[in-house]
Structures are given as C-alpha cells and as structure tokens.
Amino acid sequence: MASMMQPQIILLKEGTDTSQGKAQLVSNINACTAVSDVVRTTLGPRGMDKLIHDDKGSVTISNDGATIMKLLDIVHPAAKILADIAKSQDSEVGDGTTTVVLLAAEFLKEAKPFIEDGVHPQNLIRSYRTASHLAIEKVKELAVSIEGKSLEEKKNLLAKCAATTLSSKLIGGEKEFFASMVVDAVIAIGQEDRLSMIGLKKVPGGNMRDSFLVNGVAFKKTFSYAGFEQQPKKFLNPNILLLNIELELKSEKENAEIRLSDPSQYQSIVDAEWNIIYDKLDKCAQSGAKVVLSRLAIGDLATQYFADRDIFCAGRVAEEDLQRVAAATGGTVQTSVNNIIDEVLGTCELFEEKQVGNERFNIFSGCPSGRTATIVLRGGADQFIEEAERSLHDAIMIVRRAMKNSTVVAGGGAIDMEISRYLRQHARTIAGKSQLFINSYAKALEVIPRQLCDNAGFDATDVLNKLRQKHALPSGEGAPYGVDINTGGIADSFANFVWEPAVVKINAINAATEAACLVLSVDETVKNPKSESAQGEAAASAMGGRGRGGGFRGRGMRR
C-alpha cells in the first residue's frame, strides 16, 4: 500500500515532451520515409523536377537531391539526418544525392517490421553494418579500371561517366554536347584541385547549344568610365598587369585639415594629388603591360590615360576572376605599382572582348600555364540556366573523381541488383536472425532499379523479375545488366555506356547505412519547448536593457 502512495518523481521541467521506446523509433522511421518520398520521383533519366518556392519569393526548379534537401526546411530532428547525408554526398562526390536518401529511407523501411515485432535495434544495426562491408567489397570487386589508357580513350570514358550523370538532369537532351565540354574543362585544369579554377558564367538568351568553353578565363565586362570605348579590344600576346589598388583621385578618408598662410600654396597641394595618380599611371604604362586589371576601381582619369596609350583596363574585377586570370596567365596580383618587374606580369596568346548575347565578355585564351577553364552557359529562362549550372557542377565533380579514382561500375541499377543477389546468397550461409536482416538489406538495395522503372512509367515488378533472373545466372554474365530506360526491358549497362565511378556507389552505401544505423540507435527524444521560449525572452530583455541605457525598457516589453 505504501508503495502505491509514493509521489511521482518529476525530473524534467513542466511541458517537456519526451517520447521513447518502440513508438518513437517507428515515428522517426516514418518521418525519414516521408522525406524520401519528396525526392523519390527525381531519380534517373526519366525523373521529374521539383519547383520550390521559398519565403523570399524566389523560385528554384531542380532535380538534384542535395539542392532539394537544402531548400526543404526540415524541422524533424531524425529526418534532418537525411538532409545531412545528401549534403555530404554532394560535397564528397557530387552525384548520387537522391540515391543516398532513397537507400537510407529504404533500409529503415525494411527494418520497421522487425522493430514492430520487438527485435532489438542493436541486432539490426550489427547486421546492417556487416552487410554494408560485404556490399562495398563486392563493388570494389566488380569495378573496372580505366587506368593505363591513352588520353583519347580516357576522354571518351570520362565523357561516358559525365553523360550518365547529365542524363537525369534538365539538360539531358544535350548530354553529349555538355559531357565533352565538361571533360575538356576538367582535363584543362589538370591536377589542380580547386574547383574554383573552372568558372561557370551564365548569360540569358540563345539556346543551350550556344554555350561554349573557353580554354582560359572569361568574365563579364566590368563597370567602365568615359574613354573605355577608345581602348583597343584585341591584343596578341599582351603582357597583363594584375592590381589590387585603386587608380583614381581619392578624397581624404579622415577629415584632414590643412592650414595655409599663403594662397599660392593651395595650388601646390592640388598638384601633389594629381602628381601622385599620374605617377602611378606612368609606372603602369612603363611596365610594358597592355592589359591592366584591378580588383578596385579604375577611375575616369585613368581610363582616358590608358586609352591614349592603347592599353586596355578593367576595374572592379571580381576576386575569383582575378585569381583565375593570375593562375592562367602566370601573373601575380600586385598591391603596389612600384618596382613592377617582368616576372609579375602575366601573358596569354589572345585577349579580346567579345559580344555574348547582350553582354560583353573579356576573354583570355591560349594561356601558358592553362590551369583554368571557363564555361559560358546560355539558355532561355534564368531558372533553367541555374539548373544547368547545378547539373554541370555535378558532372564536373564526377569527372574529377573518375580521373582520381579511375574505376567505374555499371549504372542503371545493375550494380545494386548484383550486390542484392550476392547478399541474399551470403545470407543463406548465416545461422540465426541476422540471416533475415541481411536479406532485408538486400531487398532494400532493389529500390534503385525499382524507382528507375516507376519514374519511367514501366512495370517495375516485371522488369525486376527479369533482372533477378538475369543476375541469378551461374556464369555471372548477367552482372552488368540494368534497367533499359528506352525500351522498358533490361540491357547490358556496360555495353550501353551507362557508367558511374565506383566511389559514388561506395560513398552512397556507406552514408546511407550510417544514417539508417543512427536513426535506429535513437530510442528517446526529449524536447523542451519551455527552455526555448525562456531563452528567447532572456535575449530580448538583455537587448532592451542594453539599447536603452539600461534603465528604460522598450514599449511592450515585460518588466
């Protein structure tokens, strides 16, 4: 009786929301499934696009998993994990962002019936980890190396990888055109690791086919003063001077005060100002440079001065463009015009200003060190060009990865089916419950080919049965078979050049398994709404106290 009368012990603040146990886990799994349903239809060459309208009124049209996940303001703590793995896949490999979200959600979906039946999550986690190790070993075993090929062959193979990536994007219709452009750009920067060395410039108007690649640097004509039109717009083998200083008359920054006893001294002060700028300009002209670029403003006086001496100048050049010009031409950005030696000047074969659409571009081509390239994108609508830029970013990342880790696997769901078959076979050799768990992991991997069929409007069950039968052949010749998007049947993905770098798959399986295990290992969520509002109030009162001299409080603020 005494034990029944014991008062309830309250540990947490009133209003704290705690949910734990099986129901909590199932609700987390449901949240992750809901998130994956958003990006599910964007997978593959026949994937649909999403139009996302944010609170600022800007519209984004995209089918890149990472972009969509970033724009969805997900508040559910467990579902946020999926957004994070999409982001990490994007920064690590560049492609496969939708794949990784789908796989993670599917692993959780397959785990859900076991959780409801009372299986301990740790058992599932252990089996999933084992399965992922086996899967990754199998991917490495099935991967084909493209090392040791001639440059021409390698270019072809890399273009195939880029085309596979681009086939699922908005610009998929012109994938061959863009794939070769991306490969040329990546080969141009060579071993250079910084992605910023490939510039993407967007010019509305024209059509996609008007896009072009500059083996060098191109940037939009900057703001210019009178006298700019008199400057020559084309040079062969010019010397290029890069500055980070202003070339204009500057008023004193501080309120300087000069007292004169004699009015004639005033003129000497004005002259001194002019002498300073003319001295700077003379030094620029004497350096022998024919093109002068500066990150800061080049004023009207300087523009006219350079025009009279047949020198081209551009001020307020964006930092990244200036760095790219420096890398390409072999010049060094100077912070002073004193002592300009030939070593700090860059050079290129041809500099010209060219009209692209209704913009004018300054183009440096035939650069000696050649470690940079610029892709100028054309297209009808702004949203379209934005999406094209995101698609090309993915393709560039993929080609870079494929150059470094030169192994590829068959795409189109082929590799997923092969791993799935291998894991099912392996599961039969295991005694105990983990046989079931590894089997469910294998079944989850089939989500990729199934979704590819669904998005293309084919009968998924029919295609998957054909694939299972093909992959089950003892000779192993069925391994490269995947979904044929064009006919609705199955086809040899390798023969059809549907390739993706092995690193994409390895990373996707790793990240998806980790995310699934993370969600499965959470058994309690504690949310404290009170503390959040209390923090907000404390911050507000602190601001009120500071801003009003401490004593006087603002209107409507609690005392």
Side-chain angles (χ1 to χ4, degrees):
M1 190 67 192
S3 65
M4 286 175 71
M5 295 299 288
Q6 269 184 354
Q8 188 184 358
I9 298 171
I10 298 173
L11 284 176
L12 301 170
K13 224 179 212 170
E14 189 184 352
T16 304
D17 175 28
T18 62
S19 40
Q20 62 193 112
K22 202 188 294 181
Q24 157 68 20
L25 193 45
V26 170
S27 107
N28 282 350
I29 292 175
N30 289 343
C32 292
T33 315
V35 170
S36 79
D37 286 344
V38 176
V39 292
R40 192 176 285 274
T41 52
T42 66
L43 184 75
R46 297 280 185 270
M48 309 300 276
D49 296 339
K50 303 287 179 201
L51 190 149
I52 298 167
H53 194 270
D54 66 7
D55 51 358
K56 295 183 189 71
S58 60
V59 173
T60 311
I61 297 174
S62 178
N63 74 355
D64 173 41
T67 309
I68 297 168
M69 297 302 266
K70 195 163 69 199
L71 291 170
L72 291 177
D73 263 345
I74 298 173
V75 288
H76 194 286
K80 266 193 183 145
I81 295 169
L82 292 192
D84 291 345
I85 56 168
K87 203 189 295 173
S88 81
Q89 176 85 0
D90 191 43
S91 56
E92 182 63 30
V93 203
D95 195 27
T97 46
T98 312
T99 306
V100 78
V101 174
L102 275 187
L103 281 176
E106 202 63 22
F107 290 152
L108 289 170
K109 209 169 171 182
E110 288 297 330
K112 192 169 144 190
F114 293 122
I115 297 289
E116 285 168 342
D117 289 346
V119 172
H120 196 283
Q122 283 303 339
N123 292 344
L124 274 162
I125 291 172
R126 200 175 314 121
S127 300
Y128 274 13
R129 290 227 166 100
T130 312
S132 88
H133 284 310
L134 290 168
I136 286 164
E137 289 309 313
K138 189 67 177 168
V139 173
K140 287 178 179 164
E141 184 190 316
L142 291 167
V144 176
S145 174
I146 57 172
E147 266 305 311
K149 304 264 198 291
S150 69
L151 183 66
E152 210 38 56
E153 273 185 295
K154 208 164 192 185
K155 262 187 169 177
N156 268 337
L157 298 174
L158 291 170
K160 301 279 179 0
C161 284
T164 305
T165 299
L166 290 172
S167 64
S168 66
K169 312 285 184 207
L170 254 182
I171 53 176
E174 303 284 356
K175 62 181 178 191
E176 282 80 15
F177 173 70
F178 282 112
S180 60
M181 192 186 282
V182 165
V183 172
D184 289 343
V186 174
I187 287 176
I189 65 168
Q191 294 305 310
E192 180 71 61
D193 242 10
R194 290 173 299 173
L195 257 188
S196 58
M197 285 296 135
I198 297 181
L200 285 169
K201 301 291 173 195
K202 306 183 285 259
V203 185
N207 63 13
M208 287 192 293
R209 283 261 165 194
D210 297 338
S211 306
F212 59 92
L213 173 75
V214 178
N215 267 329
V217 186
F219 55 83
K220 262 186 208 153
K221 168 181 161 292
T222 53
F223 178 79
S224 59
Y225 291 94
F228 180 77
E229 291 310 328
Q230 295 155 13
Q231 294 178 352
K233 299 290 190 285
K234 189 170 181 178
F235 290 105
L236 289 171
N237 297 319
N239 282 340
I240 300 163
L241 174 61
L242 308 170
L243 299 172
N244 192 4
I245 49 173
E246 283 180 313
L247 293 176
E248 61 178 346
L249 284 168
K250 289 212 300 270
S251 57
E252 286 300 329
K253 281 199 176 64
E254 287 75 32
N255 294 332
E257 188 178 298
I258 302 171
R259 301 199 174 190
L260 304 172
S261 53
D262 179 3
S264 61
Q265 290 174 332
Y266 177 69
Q267 191 56 40
S268 64
I269 288 169
V270 175
D271 289 348
E273 237 185 338
W274 286 83
N275 289 341
I276 290 170
I277 183 148
Y278 272 121
D279 179 45
K280 281 183 181 176
L281 295 175
D282 289 339
K283 282 180 175 160
C284 291
Q286 285 158 13
S287 69
K290 280 291 176 200
V291 178
V292 178
L293 302 179
S294 174
R295 203 173 79 76
L296 301 169
I298 293 183
D300 43 3
L301 172 75
T303 308
Q304 194 64 56
Y305 176 95
F306 287 135
D308 297 341
R309 286 161 184 71
D310 281 350
I311 296 174
F312 175 89
C313 71
R316 299 199 179 109
V317 178
E319 171 77 35
E320 54 173 31
D321 288 331
L322 203 63
Q323 292 301 341
R324 271 214 300 278
V325 174
T329 60
T332 316
V333 180
Q334 298 298 301
T335 50
S336 154
V337 288
N338 298 324
N339 192 22
I340 294 176
I341 50 174
D342 289 348
E343 280 79 357
V344 300
L345 296 177
T347 180
C348 67
E349 277 172 27
L350 173 68
F351 164 79
E352 61 178 335
E353 187 173 279
K354 206 165 139 191
Q355 189 80 17
V356 180
N358 56 1
E359 302 278 359
R360 272 153 68 179
F361 269 75
N362 301 329
I363 296 175
F364 299 81
S365 46
C367 301
S369 65
R371 290 204 314 274
T372 173
T374 308
I375 295 174
V376 179
L377 284 175
R378 308 294 310 277
D382 282 349
Q383 285 96 340
F384 182 83
I385 301 181
E386 296 280 339
E387 175 62 5
E389 183 190 17
R390 282 191 290 271
S391 310
L392 286 184
H393 171 261
D394 284 9
I396 288 167
M397 291 284 285
I398 283 297
V399 174
R400 271 181 65 220
R401 284 277 168 240
M403 275 179 81
K404 280 201 176 134
N405 315 33
S406 48
T407 53
V408 293
V409 292
I415 185 82
D416 308 273
M417 286 305 289
E418 185 57 23
I419 300 169
S420 175
R421 178 203 64 78
Y422 166 69
L423 286 176
R424 281 173 203 263
Q425 215 172 340
H426 179 83
R428 293 200 190 112
T429 62
I430 301 170
K433 285 184 199 158
S434 59
Q435 178 180 7
L436 297 168
F437 306 152
I438 290 181
N439 233 340
S440 74
Y441 188 96
K443 186 179 171 204
L445 285 168
E446 289 182 355
V447 68
I448 304 295
R450 179 182 300 119
Q451 201 55 50
L452 285 174
C453 294
D454 283 346
N455 290 352
F458 305 139
D459 180 357
T461 318
D462 194 34
V463 177
L464 278 178
N465 284 340
K466 283 185 192 162
L467 277 176
R468 285 195 196 104
Q469 179 258 330
K470 196 75 180 170
H471 281 264
L473 292 175
S475 59
E477 68 191 54
Y481 274 77
V483 181
D484 183 351
I485 290 296
N486 301 318
T487 62
I490 62 172
D492 185 334
S493 293
F494 251 113
N496 285 348
F497 306 117
V498 182
W499 299 348
E500 47 189 346
V503 65
V504 175
K505 264 288 166 270
I506 291 172
N507 216 52
I509 291 172
N510 248 334
T513 310
E514 271 175 28
C517 292
L518 188 57
V519 174
L520 287 173
S521 64
V522 173
D523 74 334
E524 180 168 10
T525 309
V526 181
K527 233 199 235 149
N528 192 341
K530 274 287 172 62
S531 64
E532 286 170 25
S533 59
Q535 275 172 354
E537 275 173 25
S541 63
M543 287 296 289
R546 263 206 310 264
R548 310 243 180 209
F552 180 69
R553 286 180 181 275
R555 270 204 309 253
M557 203 170 274
R558 280 206 200 123
R559 296 197 174 282

